[in-house]
Amino acid sequence: MFSPWRAELSQILLALLLGAFLGQVTDHYAFAFWLSGMLYLLRHLVYAQRLLRWLRGGRVSELPQGDGIWEEIYYLIYRLRRRNKRRKKQLIRMLERFRTATAALPDATVVLGPRDEIDWFNEAAERMLGLRRGDIGQKIGNLLRYPRFTHYLRHADYQTTVGIPSPTVDNLQLEIRIVPYGEDLRLLVAQDVTQLRFMERVRTDFVANVSHELRTPLTVLKGYLETLNDTQGKIPEAYLKIFRRMEEQTVRMQSLVDGLLSLTRLESGAHPLPQKRVDVPALLKLICEEVKLLPEAIPAVELRLETNACLTGAEQELRSAFSNLVVNAVKYTPPQGRVTVRWRDEGEGVRLDVEDTGPGIAQEHLPRLTERFYRVDVEGSKNKSGSGLGLAIVRHVMVRHGAELKIASTLGKGSCFSCCFPGTRTLRDACPAPEVGCASAL
Ligand code: ADP
């Protein structure tokens, strides 16, 4: 039998013996057993009272004394309390370490509750966002009053970030990201990106200035080379060959400079996007007619206008983006291949597909294709003249129009570049109906 119970049984036996003894002496057995039973009960009440006192306020180490099952009960509760105490100490230590670590974080960190109320924040948040202890429980939107931030908070698109100036430190640029965690809790992290933004501006300004300064000498050089190339018979053929090469390279440099200037203009965001109606079907017809005029042999180009929808945006930018895609498709597809340009509805929005039966692009290149100067090193591609800026320009134009550029390609089969525009940019009634059959082949 379990030992505490053995001790308890001996206590019961003792009570019974006491009852028998008292009964013998007084000749009142019932009273004697009742009395010994009451004494046994009293013993339990005393131990229970000690336990209560100990649990209410006694130190864990001051374990009360008891016997029988009470000794075991006291010991088990003592072990439980000691374990709890140790766990509590560990938690406090961890919390302390967490507090020290977050306080040392250079980024402002704020814990937000389900109604955007502030639950907790670190020292950097006091410094960079101007939060005070009294702001706990206040809605963050009431304290950081920037339309961009309010929009970000309301739309809860946490894949993106939002940039705001610091409300307390002059010239400090912050980038805010919200990370959801747990149940309805969110962590707001504000990072100081002043230096980063400054470096970006220096880079953009440098590229813009250099490109701008190169324009004039290049135009002069090209003009002289054109004149030299036109002087037939006066210059030996060997020299003329050199001048022609020089002119080709000048044209290439000019297209690089123009591309860089366009990219800088798009990246800077200094020019707000015009909200004009752009007749895309007419634009695509024009682009497809223009590529037909290219001097080299080109594949068949089919234009399929399946919708008459138009867009709102910048006509020049859209023209440059669409033309880049069509020219690329024509450039990289062999003359016996086919290029299909398709304008169609997609849900609320519209979509342009430029599909070709060219050499295709390996999957590993696809994510990097829209980086500036990225060119795929495959036969028939790298040899073609190009700046590697075309797709970077397309991506920027799409971003400015709230559209998405999708690229699908299979090596040896062809590629499809798609521009997907949202419904908010689409105009359905304002454009003339497409031509008969909704499709035209050029
Ligand atoms: P580039 O001036 O070199 O054409 P882009 O930015 O327009 O610069 O294109 C980047 C690279 O993507 C190209 O060098 C080419 O390797 C690849 N590419 C673009 N379009 C196509 C296409 N339709 N088919 C195959 N490769 C393509």
Side-chain angles (χ1 to χ4, degrees):
M1 202 191 287
F2 190 49
S3 62
W5 284 111
R6 203 181 298 156
E8 195 57 35
L9 269 183
S10 51
Q11 291 291 331
I12 295 170
L13 265 175
L14 207 68
L16 285 174
L17 279 175
L18 182 70
F21 173 71
L22 285 177
Q24 183 85 43
V25 175
T26 59
D27 212 16
H28 286 91
Y29 278 96
F31 176 73
F33 278 114
W34 177 82
L35 192 66
S36 67
M38 285 320 258
L39 282 174
Y40 179 72
L41 193 68
L42 189 68
R43 173 181 155 268
H44 279 300
L45 284 177
V46 169
Y47 284 151
Q49 163 65 13
R50 276 187 200 168
L51 175 66
L52 267 180
R53 207 178 321 130
W54 181 55
L55 287 178
R56 275 209 189 108
R59 295 164 63 120
V60 178
S61 54
E62 286 168 1
L63 173 71
Q65 292 300 314
D67 53 28
I69 51 166
W70 285 100
E71 191 180 355
E72 183 71 4
I73 290 172
Y74 288 159
Y75 174 69
L76 289 177
I77 295 179
Y78 165 74
R79 224 172 52 179
L80 217 66
R81 288 188 76 187
R82 213 180 44 184
R83 204 180 299 158
N84 274 351
K85 198 174 163 188
R86 216 179 303 137
R87 228 178 259 164
K88 207 160 126 189
K89 265 190 189 160
Q90 264 175 358
L91 274 175
I92 291 173
R93 254 202 313 272
M94 260 169 64
L95 202 67
E96 209 45 56
R97 245 181 285 163
F98 171 76
R99 280 223 176 115
T100 330
T102 44
L105 268 182
D107 299 340
T109 313
V110 185
V111 174
L112 297 177
R115 283 169 292 105
D116 296 339
E117 75 277 15
I118 300 172
D119 276 354
W120 177 89
F121 56 84
N122 68 351
E123 277 168 32
E126 285 181 37
R127 208 173 49 251
M128 299 201 294
L129 299 173
L131 299 182
R132 298 283 162 263
R133 292 290 131 202
D135 294 336
I136 300 255
Q138 296 253 32
K139 289 192 174 188
I140 188 87
N142 293 342
L143 300 168
L144 300 178
R145 292 176 162 274
Y146 299 95
R148 260 185 294 168
F149 178 69
T150 315
H151 180 270
Y152 176 68
L153 206 59
R154 200 173 305 139
H155 282 78
D157 178 10
Y158 300 137
Q159 299 301 316
T160 56
T161 57
V162 64
I164 60 162
S166 161
T168 45
V169 187
D170 285 345
N171 301 324
L172 190 76
Q173 291 297 318
L174 300 175
E175 189 169 80
I176 293 188
R177 170 180 289 278
I178 293 184
V179 188
Y181 74 98
E183 255 181 47
D184 275 348
L185 286 178
R186 280 154 306 151
L187 198 68
L188 179 148
V189 184
Q191 196 183 7
D192 174 3
V193 288
T194 317
Q195 199 59 21
L196 204 73
R197 293 278 177 274
F198 173 72
M199 296 304 289
E200 272 172 16
R201 210 172 46 248
V202 169
R203 178 183 64 88
T204 322
D205 288 353
F206 174 76
V207 174
N209 290 341
V210 170
S211 311
H212 195 75
E213 292 303 322
L214 277 174
R215 249 183 165 182
T216 318
L218 272 175
T219 314
V220 174
L221 201 65
K222 191 165 159 261
Y224 281 134
L225 286 167
E226 272 170 8
T227 317
L228 282 172
N229 283 331
D230 284 345
T231 52
Q232 285 187 354
K234 291 185 194 153
I235 298 179
E237 188 54 33
Y239 286 114
L240 270 181
K241 244 188 194 166
I242 296 171
F243 291 145
R244 259 182 237 123
R245 291 281 162 278
M246 285 169 79
E247 195 187 343
E248 274 167 28
Q249 291 308 314
T250 321
V251 170
R252 190 167 133 69
M253 274 174 82
Q254 230 173 8
S255 98
L256 268 172
V257 165
D258 288 345
L260 278 173
L261 276 173
S262 304
L263 257 181
T264 314
R265 234 188 341 262
L266 290 169
E267 269 180 348
S268 74
H271 307 278
L273 189 70
Q275 300 297 334
K276 290 207 176 130
R277 172 180 162 273
V278 182
D279 185 350
V280 179
L283 192 67
L284 291 175
K285 269 188 218 165
L286 202 75
I287 292 171
C288 290
E289 267 157 26
E290 274 173 8
V291 287
K292 273 216 309 180
L293 302 177
L294 286 173
E296 59 267 16
I298 63 158
V301 180
E302 185 190 1
L303 173 64
R304 289 165 63 184
L305 299 173
E306 296 173 11
T307 173
N308 60 357
C310 298
L311 291 173
T312 48
E315 175 152 6
Q316 264 319 100
E317 291 182 20
L318 289 171
R319 186 194 167 118
S320 143
F322 295 166
S323 158
N324 258 315
L325 294 181
V326 178
V327 169
N328 269 354
V330 165
K331 188 162 76 176
Y332 295 109
T333 306
Q336 60 277 16
R338 184 167 201 82
V339 171
T340 312
V341 180
R342 196 166 160 219
W343 180 239
R344 61 184 168 108
D345 288 318
E346 189 186 52
E348 303 264 287
V350 266
R351 175 179 176 130
L352 171 77
D353 292 323
V354 180
E355 202 172 349
D356 64 56
T357 56
I361 308 157
Q363 293 300 310
E364 70 261 26
H365 295 297
L366 297 186
R368 299 198 57 195
L369 223 52
T370 55
E371 285 175 22
R372 51 174 72 195
F373 299 115
Y374 193 84
R375 305 195 68 210
V376 183
D377 192 7
V378 288
E379 210 192 321
S381 170
K382 197 86 188 217
N383 300 337
K384 306 265 182 191
S385 69
S387 60
L389 294 173
L391 291 178
I393 292 176
V394 176
R395 184 171 62 92
H396 275 288
V397 173
M398 290 308 119
V399 169
R400 262 164 76 81
H401 285 79
E404 197 187 347
L405 172 68
K406 291 182 183 167
I407 307 173
S409 192
T410 313
L411 261 185
K413 287 202 167 154
S415 318
C416 182
F417 290 77
S418 306
C419 304
C420 306
F421 293 88
T424 45
R425 288 248 154 238
T426 312
L427 292 177
R428 286 231 153 68
D429 307 322
C431 284
E435 280 168 12
V436 185
C438 298
S440 61
L442 287 170

